[in-house]
Amino acid sequence: MTSVYQKLLKCKESVDNLMKKAGIGDFRPLVAVVLGSGLGDFADGISICGEIDYADIDGFPVSTVPGHDGRLILGHVGGVAVVCMKGRVHLYEGYDITDVVLPIRLMGLMGAEYLILTNASGGIGADLKAGDLMLITDHIACFVANPLTGANIDELGTRFPDMSTVYRPELNDIIRDMAAKLTIRLPEGIYVQAGGPSFESPAEIRMFKQAGASAVGMSTAIEAIAANHMGMKICGISCVCNLAAGLSPTPLTHDEVQEAANEAAPRFKQLLMEVIKEIGKQG
Ligand code: HPA
């Protein structure tokens, strides 16, 4: 057994104990959700049955970014059991990449079959504007490390996982249908993960554009790789918070990102709630 897997099992045991203590030892999520920068409001729509501070989980990485608090929220959306990460850790915080994806793996081990990834991003595609929600149809992750580097965790998945359809077409269809019903504009595109924490240079953005990317951010793709490795069914929605470097006349700020995420939050919450209910019907 690898040491990464041992650490994961320890976290799982810790969560199991905390859930038992809270009287929800038999809670089993169907859907896992990761909330990106400023999108934490969504958690208000959950009928909560338990909350666990990351700091209380043995060995769990704790985020240091303003706007990201660190809690696992357990509860129901329209009767569908969800586990929600309110706050994630990023590579640029200095964590080992296996720690960055540990919470995703943990939610998989808790029983979640579906994973909805969300994030804040900079828009690269000409059709995108600040405040848009973008359906992630694929990603580019080769500019950052791979979370599966090191001994393979055979207990979770295969050494060389296929990556042809990480963002599941059937889930994308649900998201498209729900966005149309709610009259929410939903452009689509490829998300590229950059390392951060500095925003990208205009030259990097031009390169990403040539590579086919529509939006850039500092998370998500490595989480999708880890979740895909363990067979989770994944989809992703990005909140385009600013135009990427060189595409806007003003310098980028973290405050601007949070403001745009706040503005998009009600639309995002509506969409996510309906998507989860629909997954519940089909899952
Ligand atoms: N670049 C990277 N990450 C981001 C951006 C950006 O422009 N906006 C929000 N997150």
Side-chain angles (χ1 to χ4, degrees), residues 37 119-123 191-192 194 196 198-200 205 216-219 239-245 252-254 257:
S37 271
N119 60 44
S121 65
Y191 173 89
V192 57
S198 51
F199 287 113
E200 302 69 37
I205 295 300
V216 58
M218 302 174 194
S219 66
C239 175
V240 177
C241 290
N242 54 276
L243 295 185
L252 306 184
T253 66
H254 185 61
V257 170

Short mmCIF file of all heavy atoms in Angstrom, two decimals, residues 37 119-123 191-192 194 196 198-200 205 216-219 239-245 252-254 257, ligand 1:
data_model
loop_
_atom_site.label_atom_id
_atom_site.label_comp_id
_atom_site.label_asym_id
_atom_site.label_seq_id
_atom_site.Cartn_x
_atom_site.Cartn_y
_atom_site.Cartn_z
N SER A 37 -13.69 29.78 -5.98
CA SER A 37 -13.58 31.13 -5.39
C SER A 37 -14.89 31.90 -5.46
O SER A 37 -15.43 32.09 -6.55
CB SER A 37 -12.58 31.97 -6.20
OG SER A 37 -11.31 31.80 -5.71
N ASN A 119 -15.09 26.50 -10.59
CA ASN A 119 -13.94 27.35 -10.36
C ASN A 119 -14.20 28.77 -10.88
O ASN A 119 -15.21 29.01 -11.53
CB ASN A 119 -12.68 26.78 -11.05
CG ASN A 119 -12.87 26.65 -12.54
OD1 ASN A 119 -13.38 27.53 -13.21
ND2 ASN A 119 -12.45 25.51 -13.09
N ALA A 120 -13.27 29.64 -10.54
CA ALA A 120 -13.25 30.98 -11.13
C ALA A 120 -12.15 30.96 -12.19
O ALA A 120 -11.12 30.32 -12.00
CB ALA A 120 -12.92 32.01 -10.06
N SER A 121 -12.39 31.65 -13.29
CA SER A 121 -11.38 31.62 -14.36
C SER A 121 -11.28 32.96 -15.04
O SER A 121 -12.12 33.85 -14.87
CB SER A 121 -11.74 30.54 -15.38
OG SER A 121 -12.95 30.88 -16.03
N GLY A 122 -10.25 33.09 -15.85
CA GLY A 122 -10.10 34.23 -16.73
C GLY A 122 -10.55 33.79 -18.12
O GLY A 122 -10.20 32.71 -18.58
N GLY A 123 -11.32 34.63 -18.79
CA GLY A 123 -11.83 34.27 -20.11
C GLY A 123 -10.81 34.53 -21.20
O GLY A 123 -10.20 35.60 -21.25
N TYR A 191 -10.82 24.27 -20.55
CA TYR A 191 -10.23 24.97 -19.41
C TYR A 191 -8.76 24.58 -19.32
O TYR A 191 -8.42 23.39 -19.38
CB TYR A 191 -10.98 24.55 -18.15
CG TYR A 191 -10.41 25.05 -16.85
CD1 TYR A 191 -10.79 26.28 -16.32
CD2 TYR A 191 -9.49 24.29 -16.13
CE1 TYR A 191 -10.28 26.74 -15.11
CE2 TYR A 191 -8.97 24.75 -14.93
CZ TYR A 191 -9.37 25.97 -14.43
OH TYR A 191 -8.86 26.42 -13.23
N VAL A 192 -7.88 25.56 -19.18
CA VAL A 192 -6.46 25.24 -18.99
C VAL A 192 -6.07 25.61 -17.56
O VAL A 192 -6.42 26.68 -17.07
CB VAL A 192 -5.56 25.95 -20.03
CG1 VAL A 192 -5.72 27.46 -20.04
CG2 VAL A 192 -4.08 25.59 -19.81
N ALA A 194 -3.31 26.70 -15.07
CA ALA A 194 -1.98 27.30 -14.93
C ALA A 194 -1.57 27.15 -13.46
O ALA A 194 -2.40 26.87 -12.60
CB ALA A 194 -2.03 28.77 -15.33
N GLY A 196 -0.21 29.44 -11.25
CA GLY A 196 -0.43 30.52 -10.31
C GLY A 196 0.73 30.58 -9.32
O GLY A 196 1.68 29.82 -9.43
N SER A 198 0.71 33.92 -9.47
CA SER A 198 0.65 35.12 -10.31
C SER A 198 -0.32 34.83 -11.44
O SER A 198 -0.44 33.68 -11.90
CB SER A 198 2.05 35.44 -10.88
OG SER A 198 2.60 34.30 -11.49
N PHE A 199 -1.04 35.86 -11.89
CA PHE A 199 -1.86 35.69 -13.09
C PHE A 199 -0.90 35.47 -14.26
O PHE A 199 0.31 35.67 -14.15
CB PHE A 199 -2.73 36.93 -13.30
CG PHE A 199 -3.87 37.05 -12.32
CD1 PHE A 199 -3.91 38.08 -11.38
CD2 PHE A 199 -4.90 36.12 -12.32
CE1 PHE A 199 -4.96 38.17 -10.47
CE2 PHE A 199 -5.95 36.22 -11.42
CZ PHE A 199 -5.98 37.24 -10.49
N GLU A 200 -1.44 35.07 -15.39
CA GLU A 200 -0.61 34.73 -16.54
C GLU A 200 -0.11 36.00 -17.22
O GLU A 200 -0.67 37.08 -17.06
CB GLU A 200 -1.43 33.90 -17.55
CG GLU A 200 -2.00 32.63 -16.97
CD GLU A 200 -3.10 32.86 -15.94
OE1 GLU A 200 -3.90 33.79 -16.11
OE2 GLU A 200 -3.13 32.10 -14.96
N ILE A 205 -1.16 33.80 -22.30
CA ILE A 205 -2.57 33.72 -22.71
C ILE A 205 -2.67 33.51 -24.23
O ILE A 205 -3.49 32.71 -24.71
CB ILE A 205 -3.33 34.99 -22.26
CG1 ILE A 205 -3.37 35.07 -20.74
CG2 ILE A 205 -4.74 35.03 -22.86
CD1 ILE A 205 -4.06 33.91 -20.04
N VAL A 216 -8.89 30.13 -18.36
CA VAL A 216 -7.70 29.73 -17.60
C VAL A 216 -7.95 29.93 -16.11
O VAL A 216 -8.57 30.90 -15.69
CB VAL A 216 -6.46 30.54 -18.05
CG1 VAL A 216 -6.66 32.05 -17.91
CG2 VAL A 216 -5.20 30.11 -17.30
N GLY A 217 -7.45 28.98 -15.32
CA GLY A 217 -7.56 29.08 -13.87
C GLY A 217 -6.44 28.33 -13.19
O GLY A 217 -5.52 27.85 -13.86
N MET A 218 -6.53 28.23 -11.88
CA MET A 218 -5.42 27.66 -11.11
C MET A 218 -5.82 26.40 -10.35
O MET A 218 -5.24 26.08 -9.31
CB MET A 218 -4.89 28.71 -10.13
CG MET A 218 -4.44 30.00 -10.81
SD MET A 218 -4.00 31.27 -9.61
CE MET A 218 -3.93 32.74 -10.67
N SER A 219 -6.83 25.69 -10.85
CA SER A 219 -7.30 24.49 -10.13
C SER A 219 -7.94 23.53 -11.13
O SER A 219 -7.72 23.62 -12.33
CB SER A 219 -8.34 24.89 -9.08
OG SER A 219 -9.50 25.39 -9.71
N CYS A 239 -16.74 29.81 -13.66
CA CYS A 239 -17.29 31.17 -13.62
C CYS A 239 -16.21 32.11 -14.16
O CYS A 239 -15.15 32.29 -13.54
CB CYS A 239 -17.67 31.52 -12.19
SG CYS A 239 -18.22 33.21 -12.04
N VAL A 240 -16.46 32.66 -15.32
CA VAL A 240 -15.48 33.56 -15.95
C VAL A 240 -15.57 34.92 -15.23
O VAL A 240 -16.58 35.59 -15.29
CB VAL A 240 -15.79 33.73 -17.45
CG1 VAL A 240 -14.83 34.72 -18.09
CG2 VAL A 240 -15.74 32.38 -18.16
N CYS A 241 -14.52 35.23 -14.50
CA CYS A 241 -14.58 36.40 -13.61
C CYS A 241 -13.91 37.64 -14.19
O CYS A 241 -14.10 38.74 -13.68
CB CYS A 241 -13.92 36.05 -12.28
SG CYS A 241 -14.91 34.89 -11.35
N ASN A 242 -13.11 37.46 -15.20
CA ASN A 242 -12.38 38.59 -15.80
C ASN A 242 -11.93 38.15 -17.18
O ASN A 242 -11.94 36.95 -17.48
CB ASN A 242 -11.15 38.94 -14.94
CG ASN A 242 -10.26 37.73 -14.70
OD1 ASN A 242 -10.50 36.93 -13.78
ND2 ASN A 242 -9.26 37.55 -15.54
N LEU A 243 -11.55 39.09 -17.98
CA LEU A 243 -10.88 38.73 -19.23
C LEU A 243 -9.42 38.46 -18.89
O LEU A 243 -8.83 39.18 -18.08
CB LEU A 243 -11.02 39.85 -20.25
CG LEU A 243 -12.44 40.14 -20.72
CD1 LEU A 243 -12.44 41.20 -21.82
CD2 LEU A 243 -13.13 38.86 -21.23
N ALA A 244 -8.86 37.42 -19.48
CA ALA A 244 -7.49 37.02 -19.14
C ALA A 244 -6.50 38.12 -19.53
O ALA A 244 -6.82 39.04 -20.30
CB ALA A 244 -7.15 35.71 -19.85
N ALA A 245 -5.28 38.00 -19.00
CA ALA A 245 -4.26 39.03 -19.15
C ALA A 245 -4.04 39.41 -20.61
O ALA A 245 -3.99 38.54 -21.49
CB ALA A 245 -2.95 38.54 -18.55
N LEU A 252 -5.22 42.79 -13.60
CA LEU A 252 -6.12 41.84 -12.92
C LEU A 252 -5.91 41.90 -11.41
O LEU A 252 -4.79 42.04 -10.94
CB LEU A 252 -5.81 40.42 -13.38
CG LEU A 252 -5.83 40.18 -14.88
CD1 LEU A 252 -5.60 38.69 -15.18
CD2 LEU A 252 -7.15 40.62 -15.47
N THR A 253 -7.03 41.79 -10.68
CA THR A 253 -6.93 41.74 -9.21
C THR A 253 -7.81 40.61 -8.68
O THR A 253 -8.81 40.25 -9.29
CB THR A 253 -7.40 43.06 -8.56
OG1 THR A 253 -8.81 43.20 -8.80
CG2 THR A 253 -6.65 44.26 -9.10
N HIS A 254 -7.43 40.10 -7.51
CA HIS A 254 -8.22 39.04 -6.87
C HIS A 254 -9.60 39.58 -6.46
O HIS A 254 -10.60 38.87 -6.52
CB HIS A 254 -7.47 38.49 -5.66
CG HIS A 254 -8.14 37.31 -5.01
ND1 HIS A 254 -8.38 36.12 -5.66
CD2 HIS A 254 -8.67 37.15 -3.78
CE1 HIS A 254 -9.01 35.28 -4.86
NE2 HIS A 254 -9.20 35.88 -3.70
N VAL A 257 -11.99 39.36 -9.28
CA VAL A 257 -12.42 37.98 -9.46
C VAL A 257 -13.56 37.67 -8.49
O VAL A 257 -14.59 37.10 -8.86
CB VAL A 257 -11.23 37.01 -9.21
CG1 VAL A 257 -11.69 35.57 -9.14
CG2 VAL A 257 -10.18 37.19 -10.30
N1 HPA B 1 -6.14 33.54 -14.48
C1 HPA B 1 -6.01 32.48 -13.65
N2 HPA B 1 -6.89 32.20 -12.70
C2 HPA B 1 -7.97 32.99 -12.59
C3 HPA B 1 -8.16 34.11 -13.42
C4 HPA B 1 -7.20 34.40 -14.42
O1 HPA B 1 -7.30 35.37 -15.20
N3 HPA B 1 -9.33 34.70 -13.04
C5 HPA B 1 -9.82 33.94 -12.01
N4 HPA B 1 -8.99 32.92 -11.73
#
